[in-house]
Amino acid sequence: MALLLPLLTALVMCSCGPVGALSCDLPESQGRLSRKTLELLDQMRRVSTSLCLEDRSDFRFPREMVNGSQLQKAQAVSVLHEMLQQIFNLFHTERSSAAWTPTLLGRLRTGLHQQLEHLEACLVQVTAEEDSASAMENSTLALRRYFWGIRLYLQEKNYSDCAWEIVRVEVMGSFSSSTNLQEKLRRKDGDLGSS
């Protein structure tokens, strides 16, 4: 018990002080993981998209959530986290296991999980630093509605190969947008670090 108090004190100091601030910087490894995730999604193609043109759907991706230049850091990290969480949930179902090659699906899940772990630590820190709870909640709700629409679409299409292909392409587009948001955050962090 005597060792527990100093350990807890050290953890609190690290999460609140300058050392903890560094943990929220989005390192290059986060960018590499994102590019790897996009590559895996591309490799997961099983059906030619041209065969699935009649299955296309407009899922109404909330582009303003990832393109907004006025996003505070906490809101941007929240958007990234929610997007990764929803993609992870989508590809972590029994139906997705039946649709994709187990090796590629496993690697995709692992990469998404690694990114989520880093962003969770970052989200806790930036949320404590910024007061943007309502903006974060609005962003989260918009993304949840978007992914709910994707799940409904899959269900309506009976999880067909074409439906999964349309969803794979859609997720690649939305994930690519989130990768651009990560780049904006990295540049902002770099600007803050150099000033």
Side-chain angles (χ1 to χ4, degrees), residues 20-82:
L22 294 175
S23 71
C24 194
D25 291 341
L26 295 177
E28 277 302 309
S29 61
Q30 186 79 6
R32 281 192 300 277
L33 282 170
S34 294
R35 285 187 293 280
K36 186 65 176 168
T37 298
L38 280 171
E39 289 171 15
L40 285 167
L41 283 166
D42 189 49
Q43 292 171 16
M44 289 170 72
R45 179 186 355 225
R46 291 183 38 204
V47 178
S48 173
T49 309
S50 62
L51 297 174
C52 302
L53 293 178
E54 63 189 39
D55 290 299
R56 287 183 301 174
S57 181
D58 181 6
F59 297 105
R60 300 177 192 254
F61 177 64
R63 223 162 275 299
E64 69 279 0
M65 296 298 148
V66 293
N67 291 340
S69 57
Q70 303 303 317
L71 290 178
Q72 294 179 346
K73 187 172 184 177
Q75 187 180 4
V77 172
S78 175
V79 165
L80 290 173
H81 182 270
E82 185 65 31

Side-chain angles (χ1 to χ4, degrees), residues 20 88 136-137 151 169 195:
F88 181 82
M136 288 170 51
E137 187 175 312
R151 285 183 186 83
V169 171
S195 54

Side-chain angles (χ1 to χ4, degrees), residues 139-156:
S139 303
T140 300
L141 287 174
L143 285 169
R144 287 182 181 167
R145 277 193 298 270
Y146 166 71
F147 279 97
W148 179 251
I150 289 174
R151 285 183 186 83
L152 286 177
Y153 166 82
L154 284 167
Q155 188 177 9
E156 288 169 5

Side-chain angles (χ1 to χ4, degrees), residues 115-152:
Q115 292 176 73
L116 276 168
E117 282 184 331
H118 180 266
L119 282 175
E120 283 170 6
C122 190
L123 187 58
V124 168
Q125 181 189 339
V126 296
T127 303
E129 292 172 0
E130 295 180 14
D131 183 28
S132 55
S134 63
M136 288 170 51
E137 187 175 312
N138 291 340
S139 303
T140 300
L141 287 174
L143 285 169
R144 287 182 181 167
R145 277 193 298 270
Y146 166 71
F147 279 97
W148 179 251
I150 289 174
R151 285 183 186 83
L152 286 177

Side-chain angles (χ1 to χ4, degrees), residues 177-188:
S177 294
S178 76
T179 302
N180 294 337
L181 181 58
Q182 288 179 40
E183 276 302 313
K184 287 179 189 176
L185 279 175
R186 262 198 295 282
R187 282 194 301 272
K188 274 186 178 178

